[in-house]
Structure formats: C-alpha cells, structure tokens
Amino acid sequence: SEVTLDSWTEPEGGPARPVSSTVDHGEVCDSTSTGELVPYAAEYEGYMGNYGNTLDRWYHRGAVVLWPRRLAFRVRAEASPTWAVDELARLLGDGEEVAAREHAASLAPIWEDAVHGTAPERTFVGTALHAAGMLADADLAAVLVAPFPLSAIEPEHAEPLVRLGDTYGTGWMRDLVDRWSAAAARFGRTADHLAWTASLPRLCDPLAAAGPVGLSIARTMARRSWRALRGTFEQRRSLTPPSRAQEALLDLAAPVLGLLEAAWMTRDTELGEEVTAFLNADPGGTDDLLACTMAILRDPAALDRAAAGLDQLAQHCRTRLEARTGRPPRAGDDWSVSLPSGCDCDLCLTLGEFLAHPTRQVFEWPIAQAKRQHVHRRIDDAELPVGHQTRRRGSPYTLVLTKTDELFPRA
C-alpha cells in the first residue's frame, strides 16, 4: 500500500491546492486503520495466466500535516513547485532578497524530483525564469531553472531568457541550455521534443530580434536541438523492419525543417550546412533518408525557405532519383536478392550466396532450430521477398527458402 497527498488547504482556510507528495508509512499516525474504512473505488482483475488475480482499493481520509518550521518552504515546495516559484517571485518583488535566496538554496536536494514529479501550471516556467533573474546569484538561479526540459521553453519566455543572459552571461546560458537538453533526454517525451524542434523558429524569432545575447541563446538552442535530433535519426535508422524505420524517419521531416529555418533566422550557416550535409550523406548506399528529405521539400511552408539550404537538398534528391530511374529494369529471369549488411556469420554467408544467385529460387537447408530462427529473423527484419517454412521430417528439420514473385513488383 502507499499513502499520497493530493491536495491541501492552509490552516487559515481558502481553496484546496492540488499537491503531489508520497508519504512514508513511518510518517503517518492514524486513529482508524485503513482496512476499517469504506473504499471510494475498487478494481478487480482476474487470473491473467502469467500472474494471479488482484484486487485494488482506494481510500480517502483527511489528515493534519505537520513539519519543522525550518523546513516549511522546502516541504511546501516539494508538494507544490508552482507555489514555490510564486512565493519566491513575491518575496523578490517585495525586496526580501535575503529570504528568497535562503529559500532557493533549500530547494537544491529536492527540486529536480519535485519539478518532474508534478504537472505545474502553465505560468510556472515563466515565473521561475523571472525569479531566477531577480535572485542575482548565478548558482541559485541555476538550481531554480535547470530541471526544465528544453521543450518547456516557449516564445513567450524570450524576454526573461534574454534578461538571464544579460544578468549571468552567455556562458552561463550555454551551460543552462545544456542542462535543459540533458533534462529533455532524461525526463522528456521524444514526441514533445520533436514538436518543439519543429516550432523552434517561433522562439528564435524574438530571441534573434533582441540583440547579440538573444541571438547567442537562439543559436545554442538550435545546435543542442540538432545534436538530439541527429541521435534520434541514428536510432530510427537502425529500426527493423525497413518499413518501420522509414515511417519513423518520415516523422523527423518537420523538426528538420524547423531547424533549417532556425539556422537561417539566426544566421548560423555552419549549422545549416551541417544539417544539409547529414541529409545528403548516404554512407550505406541505401538512400534511407531520401523519403524524409522529399517530405521536407514537399512541405508547403518550405516554398519560401530556399535560403535555408533547401536548394541543396533538392539537387541531392534529383541526383539520387535520376540514378534510380536510370537503372535498367530487372530482367524477368533475374531472381537475385540483396541481403542487407548486419551479420557476417557462416549462416548469413550461406544465405547471402543463395539470395544473390540469379537463377536459384528454392533452397532446402537442413539446420538446427536455433540456426533456423536466426535465418528467419534476418529475412523478416529485412522484409525480403523470401518465404521460409520448416519441413519437420528427419533430423535436423529442413528449412525451405523460396524467393517469391513479389520481387518483381517491388523492382
């Protein structure tokens, strides 16, 4: 069982504030055991085959929550980060800088977990950035705003971001953006960060217009976003089967387009050239990024973005497509199939020899079960037009591979 606090009111009354805090059983003193109460909800799940039947019950009860006065701010901040940044902003606005700095320092041990364990209100990030600039202490300011994922930064935050850069310097801001990128990798959702990267020009526009400090922040954000996006590209290129990889890579077209425009808006030609060179490279000769690049070029919003390097991408696509259409058609008696690289074991060498043979259509191969499974995986992972069945006679059983007519419509 577990005990959590989901809302509380102050002793003097007022509306209940939502909070999120797990309470250790050793911290609870109750006059009535939970088992004697009536649950407000129950859920029964029967036997599922791999685990037994379960019955869950949930109970509501009121509590008086107490803590040492010296920990008052930290305890309330852990339960409600939104309250904490509102309180810091109030103290700083009232000129109580010393108290505000003491409270901010007390957050260090719990703040990251508190921020990522709750769903703060929309104004939370903006208020925290504003308070961080007023703290006039670089270390405490970093404690307050470092846990945010990069995707939490919106165009409306451009002004407080520039103010932070003016207060603490562009080097401090670069370190902060690095920490935001790390938080995105640890706590953020990939889909959120991809959507944020696609909309990055909306943030870069006011930052670049704010002068050298804002321009530096925008460039740093774009470069860190490209580092993360490039890693996502590499992960998705390795997905199997190829159709799944292509679908996943197509989802990256909008973020790439956002990055190219952000590089153009911030006059970061080096970043734009790096992104373009990555898309134009084809180290494995598979053209696996061609569909993604074509999706970028087909985006209606891309028509006015030739300055962002899209003309180079268009020339690359034209060259690759002309090379494809320039190939002679597959002969009607050519049954050769290419086995993608990825494994050089003896089994795959034998499989590759059969697949590459221009006339052999069937291969009967007596091999043990584990070896058959490896061959099955290689064929399925590459989505090859090859049927594979096991003839269960003799020892070992015989794996029968058959090239299918699907080879020709694909070509």
Side-chain angles (χ1 to χ4, degrees):
S1 63
E2 63 178 0
V3 182
T4 60
L5 301 177
D6 59 18
S7 60
W8 62 19
T9 62
E10 304 209 22
E12 55 269 24
R17 283 178 172 266
V19 297
S20 177
S21 181
T22 300
V23 181
D24 185 88
H25 286 279
E27 298 175 302
V28 178
C29 176
D30 53 12
S31 58
T32 306
S33 68
T34 301
E36 296 178 37
L37 302 177
V38 177
Y40 73 87
E43 182 179 289
Y44 175 76
E45 186 172 42
Y47 177 69
M48 300 300 293
N50 58 346
Y51 61 88
N53 49 333
T54 59
L55 174 62
D56 295 308
R57 299 184 180 94
W58 289 267
Y59 302 86
H60 270 162
R61 68 159 81 220
V64 178
V65 186
L66 305 95
W67 53 76
R69 278 199 175 89
R70 60 184 176 80
L71 298 179
F73 183 82
R74 173 172 155 179
V75 170
R76 296 189 65 175
E78 187 172 8
S80 178
T82 298
W83 172 87
V85 296
D86 288 345
E87 181 67 6
L88 287 176
R90 184 192 67 77
L91 290 171
L92 291 164
D94 291 344
E96 300 183 43
E97 289 88 355
V98 174
R101 293 190 190 106
E102 289 177 354
H103 290 332
S106 72
L107 295 177
I110 55 92
W111 191 236
E112 183 177 274
D113 289 338
V115 169
H116 294 292
T118 59
E121 298 173 13
R122 177 171 174 78
T123 58
F124 174 69
V125 173
T127 304
L129 293 172
H130 175 70
M134 297 176 65
L135 280 171
D137 185 303
D139 293 336
L140 294 180
V143 167
L144 187 62
V145 297
F148 304 148
L150 200 52
S151 56
I153 308 304
E154 302 286 349
E156 65 202 53
H157 302 143
E159 183 179 343
L161 285 174
V162 173
R163 201 177 306 123
L164 284 173
D166 287 334
T167 302
Y168 303 118
T170 54
W172 184 90
M173 280 301 307
R174 280 194 296 271
D175 291 341
L176 180 61
V177 173
D178 283 341
R179 295 175 72 171
W180 285 345
S181 299
R186 290 178 59 196
F187 303 105
R189 293 172 60 247
T190 300
D192 291 341
H193 190 70
L194 292 179
W196 182 86
T197 304
S199 66
L200 185 56
R202 294 175 48 242
L203 175 58
C204 288
D205 188 24
L207 285 174
V213 172
L215 185 64
S216 174
I217 295 171
R219 285 181 174 177
T220 301
M221 286 186 167
R223 285 178 172 269
R224 299 305 180 268
S225 297
W226 169 237
R227 182 193 301 171
L229 185 58
R230 182 164 183 163
T232 303
F233 263 108
E234 299 298 350
Q235 292 171 359
R236 296 190 176 190
R237 291 176 101 163
S238 63
L239 293 175
T240 56
S243 58
R244 181 185 172 207
Q246 279 297 310
E247 184 178 349
L249 289 168
L250 276 173
D251 288 341
L252 304 184
V256 171
L257 193 56
L259 265 175
L260 286 171
E261 187 182 8
W264 173 67
M265 293 174 67
T266 59
R267 302 183 293 281
D268 192 342
T269 55
E270 183 179 346
L271 175 60
E273 291 172 356
E274 184 178 339
V275 176
T276 302
F278 176 83
L279 293 173
N280 287 344
D282 186 26
T286 60
D287 284 339
D288 59 346
L289 298 186
L290 192 58
C292 176
T293 307
M294 289 294 295
I296 295 170
L297 296 173
R298 288 191 178 112
D299 191 314
L303 297 177
D304 298 328
R305 301 179 186 178
L310 297 181
D311 50 349
Q312 298 177 38
L313 295 179
Q315 180 57 49
H316 168 72
C317 289
R318 183 179 300 113
T319 301
R320 296 307 306 149
L321 292 173
E322 287 175 348
R324 283 189 176 191
T325 56
R327 297 172 186 166
R330 176 181 284 271
D333 58 354
D334 179 9
W335 289 88
S336 61
V337 179
S338 297
L339 178 65
S341 60
C343 179
D344 297 325
C345 72
D346 292 341
L347 290 171
C348 289
L349 292 176
T350 302
L351 174 63
E353 290 173 1
F354 161 67
L355 294 176
H357 201 284
T359 60
R360 291 181 65 190
Q361 295 176 244
V362 180
F363 178 30
E364 298 188 358
W365 194 358
I367 50 176
Q369 180 181 5
K371 295 180 178 180
R372 293 197 304 270
Q373 290 175 342
H374 179 71
V375 176
H376 289 321
R377 281 195 300 270
R378 289 287 280 140
I379 293 172
D380 291 342
D381 286 350
E383 292 181 315
L384 299 178
V386 178
H388 47 86
Q389 294 181 327
T390 300
R391 183 188 302 141
R392 301 183 181 277
R393 293 197 302 270
S395 180
Y397 292 160
T398 300
L399 177 63
V400 181
L401 304 180
T402 307
K403 298 174 184 176
T404 69
D405 291 339
E406 176 64 21
L407 178 64
F408 298 96
R410 287 190 188 185

